[in-house]
Amino acid sequence: IRDLVTTALFQSNRFIVLEREAIQDVLVEQDFAAAGRVGDQSRIPMGQIEGAELLIVGALTAFDSGMAGGVAFPVPIPLNRHGDAAILDLEFRKGYVAMDLRVIDVRTGRIVSTAAVEGTARKWGAGVSGIVQSGHGTSINLPVLLRGFANTPVERAISEMVDAAVTHMVEKTPPVYFHDGATVPVSPS
């Protein structure tokens, strides 16, 4: 979810998003360049890593994948006069996720914005299994032969939640933090 939020924030074109998860790799590359092991044209000047002005902190507060406990509607389909049948299982599943977010001004430690966002998705699917009658009056239940339930409901619910989170951050974070010519206000001392 962190990667999805990072990508969506970057694509919003409202924030400069800084990489911190792979910062160690960036520092190793800078140290490598500083050691003189690269040519002058690709040498990296030291001290160029930007500091963050805002920090986004989130916690997942609810998660229901929708994989268990869905509603199934079995529909028998006779195949022949011997009692062989296919069972079409129509299924309904619902995924739900929720997250609390805070946007924090790193300079002051103040919370700039908070949000509780959620995502819900519903999905229909189908499965086919079978029952085969033997000549001796016994039936054999065959396992599911075909299941059509791709892209689980929780995948859509997570996407919906991330969209809601980024929309909230863009709308509720004061424009002074966006680098479109505005400057960050200085607190009176």
Side-chain angles (χ1 to χ4, degrees), residues 60-154:
L60 201 58
T61 56
F63 186 88
D64 180 0
S65 68
M67 293 306 295
V71 179
F73 304 99
V75 178
I77 302 170
L79 297 177
N80 57 35
R81 59 185 173 90
H82 302 293
D84 296 344
I87 306 295
L88 176 63
D89 290 315
L90 298 175
E91 301 176 52
F92 173 76
R93 296 183 182 168
K94 178 181 171 184
Y96 175 77
V97 290
M99 175 172 57
D100 281 345
L101 292 168
R102 292 186 310 275
V103 179
I104 303 167
D105 182 329
V106 174
R107 227 175 13 90
T108 64
R110 291 181 184 169
I111 295 175
V112 174
S113 176
T114 64
V117 293
E118 58 186 28
T120 304
R122 294 163 184 81
K123 185 145 187 154
W124 285 92
V128 177
S129 58
I131 299 174
V132 177
Q133 298 288 333
S134 72
H136 305 292
T138 59
S139 63
I140 302 168
N141 290 333
L142 298 176
V144 173
L145 304 173
L146 177 65
R147 177 145 330 265
F149 216 116
N151 299 329
T152 62
V154 77

Side-chain angles (χ1 to χ4, degrees), residues 19 45 50 58 112 137 144 146 149-150 160 166 172 185:
E19 174 62 57
E50 292 184 47
V112 174
V144 173
L146 177 65
F149 216 116
E160 184 180 296
V166 171
K172 301 298 181 185

Side-chain angles (χ1 to χ4, degrees), residues 162-173:
V162 167
D163 289 347
V166 171
T167 297
H168 172 83
M169 286 184 270
V170 167
E171 290 175 356
K172 301 298 181 185
T173 300

